[in-house]
Amino acid sequence: MITDIAVLSPSRLLVADSTNRKLKLVDCVNGGVLSEAALPASPRRLCLLSEGRVAMTQYNSTKIQFICVANDTISLDKSIDVKNKVAGIAKIDSHLVLGCYSPGKVEMMTMDGRVVNEVDNQKAGKQVFSYPFFIATSSSGDIFVSDYGTNTIIQMDRSLCITQTFTSPMLTSLYGIASVSTDQLLVADEKSHSIVVLNTTNGTVTPLLGREDGIQEPWAVAWCPASKRLYVSCSGDQTPLNVFCQK
């Protein structure tokens, strides 16, 4: 199962194959796997740091693994230890933003693992963090957290201050998210077998893709603005990676 997708370029994807404990480099133009790397644990989430450099979380792990991709070859770089089990991961400026669980909270840390800020339910003043499985950042510097346990999308600023929270009857089982503009967030909803668009200005939720488009238990989403392509991994589909082009 593909648990996350990192768009390296319009022609290259890095995907996390948790079933086989591998990272795979995919050719978006011609199709096929160009290279792969075996991992000691199942990969969970991916975060593009810079061209050819990715950070990764792993299942039931308190480590962040750094990955290098050069000349179509994947190699493992250094890793850093963190205090909590982590799922979601994203980059904001020169820092990492981590979604931690048991207990649920969000941390901001330096690339060498020093925590500089954090927010939990007590600091937030309400129960919003349970399983912060996916994190995305926008070009305007907003941080979005998809929390599977509370079925809530949490929006934060660079200081990890919560600016908005979003819930909807159409958001029933939240997984992957991807920012496509300053006010639009793509959300994968597993139980409804759909990809929806959340307007972060007014909170409206609009269906985008569903069963009729081949979506079955969607997990991760990734958007490539250069190629106008949307990538969706589905855990309940015989096609583990689906590609949709903007019309």
Side-chain angles (χ1 to χ4, degrees):
M1 182 173 65
I2 295 174
T3 52
D4 209 2
I5 309 159
V7 178
L8 303 182
S9 72
S11 63
R12 297 290 185 270
L13 293 179
L14 188 67
V15 301
D17 181 347
S18 67
T19 304
N20 298 298
R21 291 189 175 183
K22 289 182 178 181
L23 290 175
K24 296 179 179 180
L25 184 65
V26 176
D27 185 335
C28 307
V29 178
N30 301 308
V33 176
L34 297 169
S35 63
E36 56 185 41
L39 301 169
S42 294
R44 193 163 201 168
R45 306 288 177 261
L46 302 173
C47 164
L48 181 64
L49 303 177
S50 60
E51 185 177 355
R53 187 165 172 79
V54 174
M56 178 184 72
T57 64
Q58 300 170 90
Y59 277 90
N60 297 316
S61 174
T62 55
K63 285 183 180 293
I64 305 297
Q65 176 69 55
F66 292 93
I67 310 294
C68 291
V69 182
N71 300 318
D72 288 341
T73 300
I74 306 167
S75 59
L76 303 187
D77 198 357
K78 68 175 183 178
S79 64
I80 56 175
D81 293 314
V82 294
K83 292 182 179 180
N84 303 285
K85 291 181 179 179
V86 292
I89 185 169
K91 176 181 177 288
I92 187 78
D93 301 324
S94 59
H95 291 81
L96 293 173
V97 183
L98 304 178
C100 307
Y101 59 101
S102 300
K105 64 178 177 177
V106 171
E107 292 182 341
M108 180 177 290
M109 65 172 49
T110 61
M111 292 295 171
D112 59 3
R114 180 173 60 88
V115 176
V116 295
N117 199 1
E118 65 178 29
V119 57
D120 56 14
N121 291 315
Q122 183 175 358
K123 188 174 180 180
K126 53 185 175 180
Q127 180 73 29
V128 290
F129 301 114
S130 178
Y131 294 100
F133 277 172
F134 285 87
I135 300 179
T137 55
S138 71
S139 58
S140 58
D142 290 308
I143 300 166
F144 296 95
V145 178
S146 165
D147 194 284
Y148 179 79
T150 61
N151 285 324
T152 303
I153 302 290
I154 303 104
Q155 181 177 346
M156 296 183 287
D157 62 19
R158 285 181 167 90
S159 299
L160 298 190
C161 292
I162 295 176
T163 55
Q164 294 190 88
T165 57
F166 303 95
T167 58
S168 167
M170 295 179 65
L171 301 176
T172 59
S173 181
L174 302 184
Y175 274 94
I177 54 176
S179 175
V180 295
S181 68
T182 56
D183 62 353
Q184 288 188 324
L185 194 72
L186 296 175
V187 183
D189 192 281
E190 184 197 33
K191 287 183 181 178
S192 66
H193 309 283
S194 63
I195 306 298
V196 301
V197 180
L198 169 65
N199 185 309
T200 58
T201 299
N202 56 29
T204 58
V205 179
T206 306
L208 180 64
L209 299 168
R211 280 184 182 270
E212 65 277 10
D213 304 293
I215 300 298
Q216 187 174 349
E217 298 177 12
W219 197 275
V221 291
W223 168 250
C224 179
S227 65
K228 304 297 183 184
R229 287 183 174 181
L230 170 62
Y231 300 94
V232 181
S233 70
C234 294
S235 61
D237 193 352
Q238 295 300 313
T239 305
L241 183 62
N242 299 268
V243 185
F244 302 92
C245 297
Q246 185 184 58
K247 298 180 180 179

